[in-house]
Amino acid sequence: MRLETRHWIFAGLFLLIGVTLVSGIKLDLPVSPDTQRMYDLIEKLPDGSVLLVSFDHEASSLPEIQPIARALLRHGFEHKLRLVGLALMAEGTAIGYRLMCETAEEFDAEYGTDYVFLGFRPQYIAAILSMGESIKATFPEDYLGRPYDSLALMRPLGNYSDVAGVLSIADGSFTTHWMEYGGRYKLKVLAGVTAAMVTTYDPYLASGQMQAMVSGLRGAAEYETLIDRIGGGARGMLAQTSAHLYVILLVILGNVSYFLKRRRAN
Amino acid sequence: MDRKIAVVICFAFGLVMFAQYFSAHPLARSVNQTIADYWQIIFAFALIVGVVGFLNNNFQQVRKGQDRPFRLLSLAGFVIMPVLAMIWGIKTGTPFLWVFENVQVPMQSTVFALLAFFVASASYRGFRARSVPAAILLSAALIILVSRSFATGPLSDWLPGVAEWIRNNPSMAARRAILIGIGLGSLTTSLRVILGIERTWLGGGK
């Protein structure tokens, strides 16, 4: 097989990411105002406040989404918030449940009192609207089939007026639905999203329809700095930085070669 | 006649949902809850249609001998996952979650990660400053790319500010224009459907 330019590019990227991932270099990241805003908002919530955490993502974006979710969950549990997990995408269900259980274990949080995982409901718009009227009617049982009223945390919760807000962990446009349909019930929306979705949500953040947003691996790494718990965000950030610089180098090389060829042709 | 019934039902539900949105009356809330419940039930039935379609398509292809190993693997996954969930449950540490975490998640992440290689290759071969607009786009993309990375030294002083300006001004202006366009388009289409002017959803042209 004859090796073409693209094969060398692929090999270069593979090697670069591999080397940076094992290098273990620590990055000293400055915290952006967006990430700081999320941190401050969670800090301001009184102890025992109930926060819905919606895992609205697929498995494919897990390397980017998981560090964001884990950092936010850690802050939530550390700050003694009571977290109610759910998923509007089927794939987010198992991931969300595992993430919540693992993070809760770090803080000795008790299932049913400090956190609950409600599971998945099909048709996200109907689910969001229905929870606005009654969370119990939408989720009569939790993910493991326990009745709603048997869970101490859930018993006093009627609808959105009993929760501090929703934290949507999303890799697509699901957070928009929380704002559009949850907004009717004055539900406060926070978001942890992939970097690719930042520009989609910028107008909502600027208009105040979204309260705060942590985005991409950089956001996760910044949040880990804030809560002083280094995790997947900082590690991934190193690989992402090297890949970004590699892409920039390729763009420059591609353009230099393009202009040289054009000059020769003229 | 059957089409007229569908149009009348659509009009009635459109009107009811529109009216209840502006009311906090218990009756309006109850109507909203009931319709949301039915909506979820109807959607669950739509999933059955998808499942039947998946099975039908795969069995047909297996019979024809087309991509047989892949089709059989898909069907095996379709059977195995519910069986694992029914026998051992879906808690952490169960075979269901193990298969999900160790088969589905890595496979999907791998396919998604391949994008990085295509982007790297495309950035060398396709991202060219052929014209002034292309050069502006290229510069903005590079600034945003560096701003999402870890930049040190003099870059870290001015780069975040420039990237923030791009996000908050040209990028947000374009995004808002698109959102307003989508909003107006959705409103128009909804009105056309509710009033029975738009009937293509009934499966015919007229």
Side-chain angles (χ1 to χ4, degrees):
Chain A
M1 189 184 87
R2 202 173 137 262
L3 288 177
E4 293 174 22
T5 315
R6 65 192 165 101
H7 295 129
W8 292 111
I9 293 173
F10 294 162
L13 183 65
F14 179 75
L15 277 175
L16 190 70
I17 292 179
V19 168
T20 45
L21 275 177
V22 295
S23 69
I25 300 166
K26 281 185 181 169
L27 300 177
D28 187 19
L29 279 171
V31 177
S32 66
D34 285 352
T35 310
Q36 186 68 51
R37 197 202 303 200
M38 174 72 89
Y39 180 84
D40 293 342
L41 216 137
I42 291 183
E43 278 291 302
K44 273 182 202 156
L45 291 175
D47 281 9
S49 300
V50 179
L51 187 67
L52 296 174
V53 184
S54 184
F55 295 88
D56 309 327
H57 57 83
E58 293 177 326
S60 56
S61 58
L62 203 60
E64 192 176 6
I65 277 291
Q66 185 164 283
I68 303 173
R70 207 183 279 277
L72 289 164
L73 287 174
R74 279 176 171 160
H75 190 202
F77 280 122
E78 195 172 32
H79 193 57
K80 303 284 178 213
L81 297 183
R82 291 180 298 159
L83 305 177
V84 178
L86 64 125
L88 296 184
M89 280 190 98
E91 282 176 33
T93 319
I95 297 167
Y97 174 65
R98 177 183 53 80
L99 269 175
M100 281 194 87
C101 291
E102 283 176 4
T103 322
E105 215 175 290
E106 290 175 28
F107 296 89
D108 293 324
E110 201 182 317
Y111 191 88
T113 315
D114 303 314
Y115 76 104
V116 161
F117 194 77
L118 294 173
F120 166 71
R121 275 294 165 275
Q123 223 316 315
Y124 44 90
I125 296 173
I128 295 169
L129 285 172
S130 175
M131 284 173 76
E133 302 299 337
S134 165
I135 298 174
K136 186 181 172 181
T138 318
F139 289 95
E141 294 173 337
D142 74 349
Y143 181 54
L144 302 174
R146 291 171 203 158
Y148 190 91
D149 286 328
S150 71
L151 303 158
L153 166 55
M154 301 310 295
R155 237 173 280 140
L157 299 185
N159 53 33
Y160 293 141
S161 55
D162 301 315
V163 301
V166 63
L167 169 63
S168 171
I169 311 284
D171 60 0
S173 61
F174 270 71
T175 314
T176 316
H177 304 304
W178 279 111
M179 288 180 284
E180 285 173 349
Y181 299 99
R184 177 184 179 184
Y185 303 94
K186 309 277 185 277
L187 178 69
K188 284 184 180 167
V189 179
L190 316 173
V193 298
T194 50
M197 296 308 294
V198 171
T199 51
T200 303
Y201 293 121
D202 270 342
Y204 296 102
L205 195 63
S207 67
Q209 284 166 284
M210 182 190 275
Q211 310 294 310
M213 172 170 73
V214 171
S215 58
L217 277 175
R218 183 173 180 127
E222 290 171 7
Y223 214 87
E224 286 168 3
T225 309
L226 284 170
I227 58 170
D228 201 20
R229 278 173 179 268
I230 298 305
R235 278 193 298 275
M237 189 61 199
L238 194 64
Q240 183 178 278
T241 298
S242 59
H244 280 181
L245 296 178
Y246 184 66
V247 165
I248 290 167
L249 180 73
L250 288 173
V251 170
I252 293 168
L253 285 177
N255 276 280
V256 168
S257 115
Y258 167 72
F259 282 110
L260 284 177
K261 269 184 199 164
R262 205 163 76 166
R263 186 182 285 179
R264 256 183 245 135
N266 287 340
Chain B
M1 185 59 194
D2 51 345
R3 278 186 164 210
K4 272 185 186 162
I5 294 169
V7 170
V8 169
I9 291 172
C10 176
F11 176 76
F13 273 86
L15 213 62
V16 167
M17 288 306 281
F18 182 75
Q20 64 81 32
Y21 185 89
F22 298 99
S23 171
H25 193 275
L27 183 67
R29 306 288 294 261
S30 158
V31 165
N32 187 30
Q33 175 74 60
T34 310
I35 290 177
D37 288 347
Y38 274 98
W39 194 349
Q40 284 182 300
I41 293 165
I42 291 166
F43 189 80
F45 275 101
L47 287 177
I48 297 172
V49 176
V51 167
V52 171
F54 171 82
L55 288 175
N56 196 22
N57 181 270
N58 276 290
F59 277 126
Q60 273 182 10
Q61 300 301 329
V62 167
R63 245 181 269 129
K64 284 180 193 168
Q66 207 168 24
D67 300 328
R68 190 172 277 167
F70 303 111
R71 304 279 176 183
L72 287 173
L73 200 64
S74 303
L75 290 167
F78 180 83
V79 175
I80 289 168
M81 288 306 274
V83 168
L84 292 179
M86 281 188 277
I87 298 175
W88 287 284
I90 50 178
K91 282 184 182 179
T92 43
T94 54
F96 170 82
L97 216 56
W98 189 91
V99 173
F100 180 76
E101 293 280 347
N102 295 286
V103 179
Q104 190 173 347
V105 172
M107 280 198 304
Q108 287 204 4
S109 298
T110 304
V111 173
F112 198 53
L114 288 176
L115 272 179
F117 291 90
F118 293 124
V119 168
S121 174
S123 63
Y124 177 72
R125 296 187 298 167
F127 213 177
R128 302 278 160 82
R130 289 175 212 274
S131 59
V132 176
I136 294 170
L137 187 69
L138 186 67
S139 313
L142 291 182
I143 290 169
I144 294 290
L145 206 57
V146 180
S147 78
R148 301 299 301 178
S149 312
F150 173 68
T152 52
L155 269 182
S156 61
D157 294 333
W158 60 269
L159 200 79
V162 177
E164 201 73 357
W165 183 87
I166 293 171
R167 264 178 69 188
N168 290 337
N169 294 283
S171 168
M172 202 182 309
R175 191 72 212 166
R176 276 191 172 143
I178 293 168
L179 284 174
I180 291 167
I182 292 171
L184 290 173
S186 304
L187 186 72
T188 316
T189 310
S190 302
L191 277 174
R192 283 174 62 87
V193 171
I194 289 169
L195 297 173
I197 301 165
E198 175 69 56
R199 295 185 182 196
T200 46
W201 60 277
L202 287 166
K206 289 176 184 176

